């Protein structure tokens, strides 16, 4: 694929010293990994698949406009013939422990380097932790993450994590939350509302923020009863001190519902469009 034709010159805006340092570090893993790059991004090849980083902005919304507060990272997996695979597919493969841990470290490096090169260091990066993907090995890369931030000259407050847990991974999720917090990271609880035990997990983790499961926003548009329940419950959580995040916002009605729920963090196609329009309008005024 043309996108994955590497070049020698490091893309503009990327920290050259940090990139070469990470390249050498990854080569020393038990299962060595290598970074590649083109004119605009860093990518990697793993087990015949191309790995890239994607990002979407998360913002605060008010009557005066949108204020971006952090970016959220997404792993993209591409086949040799251009096909794109779900990010959890690769992790479902039965890798040996050393190879799986090396892969997770590679992805952590990939996201942070691309964030610095493409988004800059002004806003934090959010990384999602999914029990289907990495809970078996996540504890192994907490210290690696701290060392990586040192190499990139980033403070722990510049990286936050959104944790997805279920009835099978609650205990390990609590331990993982504690370890990341000891390193100074903010922690959120993702997929809220997917399980009947979510309130119990909320009290156990006491997260810094809560992200509502995106499917509830779609259902809230279609079913008035779901909308009424959300508008009843979510403001109560906010009143108890939990910062609410709502993602998957694709229309004005969804945005209005999120605001009625007193959400603090907003994301989705509509939010990205509003931020882009806001930037363009600002550029026109400045010009």
């Amino acid at each position: 694929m043309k996108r994955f034709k590497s070049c020698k010159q490091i893309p503009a805006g990327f920290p050259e010293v940090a990139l070469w340092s990470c390249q050498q570090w990854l080569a020393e893993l038990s299962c060595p990994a290598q970074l590649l790059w083109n004119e605009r991004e860093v990518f990697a090849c793993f087990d015949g698949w191309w790995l890239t980083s994607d990002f979407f902005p998360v913002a605060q919304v008010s009557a005066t406009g949108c204020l971006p507060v952090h970016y959220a990272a997404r792993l993209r997996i591409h086949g040799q013939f251009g096909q794109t695979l779900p990010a959890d597919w690769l992790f479902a493969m039965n890798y040996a422990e050393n190879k799986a841990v090396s892969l997770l470290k590679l992805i952590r490096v990939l996201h942070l380097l691309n964030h610095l090169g493409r988004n800059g260091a002004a806003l934090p990066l959010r990384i999602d932790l999914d029990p289907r993907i990495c809970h078996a090995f996540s504890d192994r890369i907490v210290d690696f993450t701290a060392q990586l931030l040192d190499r990139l000259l980033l403070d722990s407050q510049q990286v936050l994590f959104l944790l997805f847990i279920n009835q099978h991974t609650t205990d390990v999720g609590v331990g993982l939350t504690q370890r990341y917090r000891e390193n100074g990271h903010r922690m959120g609880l993702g997929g809220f509302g997917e399980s009947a035990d979510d309130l119990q997990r909320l009290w156990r983790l006491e997260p810094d923020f809560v992200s509502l499961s995106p499917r509830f926003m779609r259902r809230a548009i279609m079913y008035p009863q779901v909308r009424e329940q959300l508008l009843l419950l979510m403001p109560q959580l906010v009143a108890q001190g939990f910062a609410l995040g709502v993602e998957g916002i694709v229309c004005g009605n969804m945005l209005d519902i999120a605001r009625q729920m007193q959400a603090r963090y907003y994301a989705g196609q509509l939010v990205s469009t509003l931020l882009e329009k806001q930037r363009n309008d600002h550029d026109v005024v400045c010009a």
Side-chain angles (χ1 to χ4, degrees):
M1 293 175 62
K2 184 177 180 181
R3 176 178 181 177
F4 302 115
K5 183 178 180 180
S6 61
C7 62
K8 294 182 179 181
Q9 184 175 355
I10 292 175
F14 281 69
E16 182 173 354
V17 174
L19 197 157
W20 286 116
S21 175
C22 290
Q23 182 79 290
Q24 181 179 1
W25 199 19
L26 290 172
E28 296 170 356
L29 296 177
S30 55
C31 295
Q34 183 180 15
L35 298 170
L36 303 166
W37 49 84
N38 54 29
E39 293 80 5
R40 65 173 299 270
E41 66 180 336
V42 172
F43 55 92
C45 185
F46 184 87
D47 205 31
W49 302 97
W50 297 109
L51 308 183
T52 64
S53 299
D54 196 9
F55 304 94
F56 64 86
V58 179
Q60 294 180 353
V61 178
S62 67
T64 58
C66 300
L67 176 68
V69 290
H70 61 258
Y71 286 93
R74 285 288 182 271
L75 175 68
R76 301 302 183 202
I77 304 172
H78 313 265
Q80 298 294 330
F81 300 102
Q83 70 271 38
T84 302
L85 303 179
D88 59 347
W89 183 90
L90 185 63
F91 295 92
M93 298 174 66
N94 188 27
Y95 289 126
E97 181 176 349
N98 286 344
K99 193 169 186 177
V101 172
S102 294
L103 171 60
L104 292 175
K105 291 179 178 179
L106 170 63
I107 294 169
R108 190 62 50 91
V109 170
L110 192 69
H111 283 336
L112 281 166
L113 282 174
N114 276 307
H115 173 62
L116 284 177
R118 292 159 61 181
N119 305 324
L123 294 179
L125 176 66
R126 192 193 85 196
I127 297 175
D128 295 356
L129 304 175
D130 192 317
R132 298 168 302 173
I133 294 175
C134 57
H135 265 281
F137 307 110
S138 281
D139 190 62
R140 298 279 302 274
I141 60 171
V142 174
D143 295 333
F144 175 86
T145 300
Q147 296 167 11
L148 174 59
L149 294 179
D150 285 341
R151 286 179 180 244
L152 299 179
L153 303 178
L154 290 173
D155 185 84
S156 59
Q157 288 292 313
Q158 291 177 274
V159 178
L160 56 151
F161 294 95
L162 183 64
L163 182 69
F164 290 81
I165 56 177
N166 53 34
Q167 65 271 25
H168 304 296
T169 56
T170 299
D171 290 340
V172 70
V174 171
L176 194 59
T177 297
Q178 182 178 352
R179 288 209 60 200
Y180 273 117
R181 277 190 167 148
E182 289 172 351
N183 287 348
H185 298 286
R186 287 180 291 155
M187 299 293 296
L189 177 62
F192 186 78
E194 290 286 354
S195 171
D197 298 327
D198 275 350
L199 284 175
Q200 181 180 357
R201 297 190 191 104
L202 191 64
W203 311 138
R204 287 194 64 186
L205 267 74
E206 296 184 347
D208 299 291
F209 58 98
V210 178
S211 182
L212 182 69
S213 173
R215 73 183 183 94
F216 280 100
M217 291 304 294
R218 297 190 294 268
R219 295 179 64 191
I221 293 295
M222 298 175 62
Y223 305 110
Q225 185 177 6
V226 174
R227 182 164 62 251
E228 292 170 2
Q229 292 175 347
L230 288 176
L231 294 177
L232 176 64
L233 174 61
M234 294 301 125
Q236 293 182 31
L237 291 179
V238 173
Q240 294 179 45
F242 295 105
L244 174 64
V246 178
E247 300 185 0
I249 299 174
V250 299
C251 65
N253 288 337
M254 285 186 175
L255 184 63
D256 290 339
I257 293 172
R259 295 185 68 175
Q260 291 179 56
M261 288 191 293
Q262 302 176 27
R264 183 181 301 178
Y265 304 118
Y266 300 74
Q269 181 180 350
L270 177 62
V271 176
S272 297
T273 300
L274 292 174
L275 285 168
E276 183 65 25
K277 181 179 184 301
Q278 196 169 273
R279 282 192 294 268
N280 291 338
D281 292 344
H282 179 267
D283 291 342
V284 170
V285 171
C286 292

